[in-house]
Amino acid sequence: MNPAQHGAAVAAEAAAFVATVKAADLSTPVPTCPGWTLADLTQHVGSVHRWFTELLRRRVQQPPTSREVDLRLPQDRDGLPDWLAASAAESAEMFAATDLDAPMWAWGVDQHARFWVRRMLFETLVHRADAELALGTAPHVDRALAVDGIDEFLTNLPFASPFAPLTAQLRAPDRTVRFTCTDGDGDWLVGLCPDGFALVDDQAVARTADATVRGAAADLLLLLYGRLDRQSDAFRLLGDQELLTHWFTHSAF
């Protein structure tokens, strides 16, 4: 997917989120985000939109020293869905006004403005799934989006330790974990070594991983984000189960 597609998908995911929560009781607990209600979840997503939009507006070239931004929160909790819709509209305007290929600081691999659009997309998509799960609805995730999201997650996870500290413990003596889609193309090999972990370019040589997780792309995406149980029938787990436990215990995002 390209940055323009990411921007359009952000708008679609935000609209789906708003439609999900607008008629719901915002005091409903969100089991996949312990301690949060739908109101908390909606405020979080809107805050992310406004913060990332501000980063793009300023085209920051180094890590910001403050995360203060005028959220312009509604006075009443019931206004949160409309506020999120307005936040997403501001994001869309910023995407249209920004050269998304311009160099820019980002916490992940891609040091360009487009990083933040892609990151906003999957932040919104996963939390849209959280809202639907809280309301007893099985989330649908477009397959192409899911594949892109898996790649984005695994590419950037090695750099997430500042806000996901357990990832710093994803170490092992030269072990590999593979994630494979069962509904089409999509295969990722992660190598763990004593000083870190990263995606491995495994295109040239077929290699048997020490542990493998197989499932549909949408299910794998939600699994990686901790929204599904790897023991469910949606997945086939092969190889070193202790290695898989190590991965899932320390890869929380």
Side-chain angles (χ1 to χ4, degrees):
M1 297 181 67
N2 60 46
Q5 291 172 311
H6 288 150
V10 170
E13 287 295 330
F17 189 111
V18 170
T20 298
V21 300
K22 199 169 179 67
D25 179 354
L26 293 180
S27 67
T28 301
V30 181
T32 49
C33 297
W36 282 13
T37 64
L38 285 179
D40 298 318
L41 187 68
T42 306
Q43 181 171 327
H44 170 75
V45 174
S47 299
V48 167
H49 275 250
R50 291 184 182 266
W51 172 235
F52 286 8
T53 298
E54 181 62 20
L55 291 177
L56 287 165
R57 180 178 291 113
R58 290 158 45 191
R59 195 78 58 79
V60 297
Q61 299 300 321
Q62 56 187 5
T65 57
S66 171
R67 292 196 59 170
E68 289 186 11
V69 61
D70 183 6
L71 295 177
R72 303 193 297 282
L73 286 165
Q75 293 185 346
D76 188 88
R77 184 179 68 178
D78 291 339
L80 283 170
D82 289 337
W83 169 80
L84 170 56
S87 303
E90 289 191 20
S91 298
E93 291 177 2
M94 183 55 59
F95 299 163
T98 301
D99 176 5
L100 298 179
D101 292 326
M104 181 176 169
W105 172 83
W107 60 260
V109 173
D110 188 1
Q111 298 287 297
H112 295 85
R114 59 187 179 241
F115 169 91
W116 295 102
V117 183
R118 195 183 189 201
R119 181 86 292 277
M120 190 187 296
L121 167 58
F122 294 109
E123 183 83 9
T124 308
L125 185 156
V126 170
H127 287 315
R128 185 263 297 171
D130 287 328
E132 292 174 345
L133 289 167
L135 295 170
T137 300
H140 170 75
V141 181
D142 176 82
R143 186 180 187 281
L145 275 180
V147 169
D148 194 56
I150 295 167
D151 187 77
E152 194 265 354
F153 180 92
L154 292 174
T155 296
N156 291 313
L157 189 65
F159 304 90
S161 59
F163 52 87
L166 289 179
T167 59
Q169 300 178 42
L170 279 174
R171 309 285 186 267
D174 300 319
R175 307 287 280 168
T176 54
V177 179
R178 185 185 295 281
F179 299 92
T180 300
C181 294
T182 56
D183 57 346
D185 292 342
D187 188 86
W188 299 263
L189 186 69
V190 180
L192 287 77
C193 59
D195 60 354
F197 70 100
L199 275 176
V200 176
D201 184 358
D202 193 45
Q203 297 301 312
V205 180
R207 179 178 175 185
T208 301
D210 296 298
T212 297
V213 181
R214 294 173 55 83
D219 291 335
L220 284 177
L221 177 66
L222 295 177
L223 172 69
L224 287 169
Y225 276 96
R227 270 54 183 188
L228 293 179
D229 185 345
R230 70 181 186 276
Q231 301 298 337
S232 83
D233 292 339
F235 305 106
R236 187 178 179 197
L237 310 178
L238 305 171
D240 188 340
Q241 300 302 304
E242 289 187 6
L243 179 59
L244 289 178
T245 297
H246 178 61
W247 171 269
F248 287 108
T249 299
H250 297 95
S251 60
F253 195 97

